[in-house]
Amino acid sequence: MSLPALADRAIVLHARAADWRDAIRLAGDALVDSGCTTAEYTEAMIRMVDDHGPYIVIAPGLALAHARPGPEVRCDGLSVVTLAEPVEFGHAHNDPVRVVIGLAGVAADGHLEAVAQLANAFNDAAAIPALAAATTRDAVRTILAGGGIA
């Protein structure tokens, strides 16, 4: 699985979230709105953090929300939510979070490949602050494609 295309409905800029659950719900709602998952997948992403802690906060300011492949996933999907105000997830080193990426994969192996591709996009330390500051959906797409900081 290469990174899925980011539909306009899958990108939410400068959203407001009361807490980490709200932030994950925003990313999940964007996956639902773009036709990739059901609302049950969003709840599964929240349960992953409830069950395993804030391991999804993979870099300073960045959370990668996901759950296991299952019937709640209709197609491979990606969403990006930038937060107007950062949110604490409870991670010792990488809080607070300003960017939440939602990832849904139909199959586990493709899921891991997509995570690896996302990691490449964030090899540039400036990518996360650039995403957080992005004002257009095209800027978000350019940053994630590794096309530089817009």
Side-chain angles (χ1 to χ4, degrees):
M1 154 180 169
S2 59
L3 283 180
L6 265 171
D8 279 351
R9 285 175 285 182
I11 302 171
V12 181
L13 300 175
H14 308 297
R16 297 212 173 269
D19 58 23
W20 67 264
R21 284 181 176 85
D22 267 2
I24 291 175
R25 273 195 191 93
L26 289 165
D29 289 350
L31 287 169
V32 171
D33 290 348
S34 60
C36 294
T37 65
T38 66
E40 289 78 12
Y41 187 78
T42 301
E43 295 308 311
M45 291 192 301
I46 291 169
R47 276 195 309 280
M48 292 295 282
V49 177
D50 280 334
D51 293 348
H52 303 289
Y55 76 97
I56 67 166
V57 184
I58 58 170
L62 177 68
L64 178 59
H66 60 279
R68 291 182 180 89
E72 308 84 14
V73 180
R74 295 183 173 137
C75 61
D76 294 335
L78 191 66
S79 66
V80 176
V81 175
T82 65
L83 299 173
E85 297 295 327
V87 173
E88 297 284 333
F89 274 66
H91 194 281
H93 306 293
N94 293 333
D95 268 346
V97 169
R98 297 223 31 174
V99 178
V100 181
I101 294 179
L103 179 64
V106 174
D109 57 344
H111 197 76
L112 295 175
E113 185 182 324
V115 169
Q117 288 188 17
L118 278 172
N120 285 339
F122 295 110
N123 279 342
D124 181 345
I128 297 167
L131 271 180
T135 57
T136 67
R137 290 177 173 93
D138 284 339
V140 168
R141 290 182 187 101
T142 299
I143 294 162
L144 284 181
I149 306 309

